[in-house]
Amino acid sequence: MTWPPSRVPQVSRSQRARWRHAVIWAAAGAVLLLVAGALGHFLVGAVGLLVSLVGAWVASPLRADPSLTHWDAQQRHVRDGAIVVYWRPGSLGCLRLRSSLRSVSDQILWVNVWADDEAAAFVRDVNGGAEIVPTAILRNGDALCHPSPDAVRADLQDRAA
């Protein structure tokens, strides 16, 4: 039985990417369990499977994400002059930027592009069709693709002055 076209659920590009990453995490854990089990290291395989299932859960679209939405962040950007950084779980560039800005992270609005389809569309629009993260929107409205932590800190210091 097929659904009428009006009832077919639409899955966005970001959601497909989240599912793909979740499946990769789970498959990697299963392979690790099989290899470790074949070598007689069942405990190592079980721990590896558990870690990979946690990674799959974090990457999956089933997990609710508490990050801001695109429109909430844009409103605060316009009203308060806050810096907005669009990020994605699992991105090494995002992880590096977030960890290097840990001391000022509470002054930055972080928007997960996998949790908000409008945020993903905005990032693609800003970056010529590519969903490149991290992308930062500075106080003056300039968009920086893969911003350096120093550029973000400099913009924050300009706001404080």
Side-chain angles (χ1 to χ4, degrees), residues 90-112:
S91 166
L92 294 178
C94 295
L95 181 63
R96 187 180 68 241
L97 181 67
R98 199 163 195 165
S99 64
S100 63
L101 294 173
R102 187 172 304 149
S103 62
V104 293
S105 184
D106 59 334
Q107 300 174 36
I108 299 170
L109 305 175
W110 298 90
V111 180
N112 182 351

Side-chain angles (χ1 to χ4, degrees), residues 21 32 34 42 61 64 66-67 76 81 95 105 119 129 150:
H21 282 85
L32 181 63
L34 289 173
F42 295 107
S67 68
R76 289 177 59 187
L95 181 63
S105 184
D150 294 333

Side-chain angles (χ1 to χ4, degrees), residues 84-152:
V84 181
V85 176
Y86 294 91
W87 69 284
R88 160 177 74 228
S91 166
L92 294 178
C94 295
L95 181 63
R96 187 180 68 241
L97 181 67
R98 199 163 195 165
S99 64
S100 63
L101 294 173
R102 187 172 304 149
S103 62
V104 293
S105 184
D106 59 334
Q107 300 174 36
I108 299 170
L109 305 175
W110 298 90
V111 180
N112 182 351
V113 297
W114 278 359
D116 187 356
D117 293 333
E118 291 173 345
F122 175 77
V123 168
R124 286 192 300 272
D125 185 46
V126 167
N127 293 312
E131 195 173 293
I132 301 171
V133 290
T135 296
I137 308 300
L138 302 180
R139 292 177 1 148
N140 63 2
D142 288 346
L144 293 179
C145 200
H146 294 293
S148 70
D150 294 333
V152 176

Side-chain angles (χ1 to χ4, degrees), residues 6-136:
S6 61
R7 292 194 178 178
V8 174
Q10 295 297 316
V11 179
S12 70
R13 181 174 157 186
S14 298
Q15 294 254 328
R16 284 192 306 269
R18 287 187 75 180
W19 278 116
R20 186 172 46 250
H21 282 85
V23 167
I24 289 169
W25 272 100
V31 168
L32 181 63
L33 179 65
L34 289 173
V35 169
L39 296 174
H41 301 288
F42 295 107
L43 183 60
V44 171
V47 169
L49 178 63
L50 181 63
V51 168
S52 69
L53 289 177
V54 168
W57 173 251
V58 168
S60 89
L62 298 176
R63 183 180 63 90
D65 191 355
S67 68
L68 286 173
T69 65
H70 167 67
W71 292 114
D72 290 339
Q74 286 298 316
Q75 286 176 348
R76 289 177 59 187
H77 170 74
V78 170
R79 184 183 65 227
D80 305 330
I83 295 174
V84 181
V85 176
Y86 294 91
W87 69 284
R88 160 177 74 228
S91 166
L92 294 178
C94 295
L95 181 63
R96 187 180 68 241
L97 181 67
R98 199 163 195 165
S99 64
S100 63
L101 294 173
R102 187 172 304 149
S103 62
V104 293
S105 184
D106 59 334
Q107 300 174 36
I108 299 170
L109 305 175
W110 298 90
V111 180
N112 182 351
V113 297
W114 278 359
D116 187 356
D117 293 333
E118 291 173 345
F122 175 77
V123 168
R124 286 192 300 272
D125 185 46
V126 167
N127 293 312
E131 195 173 293
I132 301 171
V133 290
T135 296

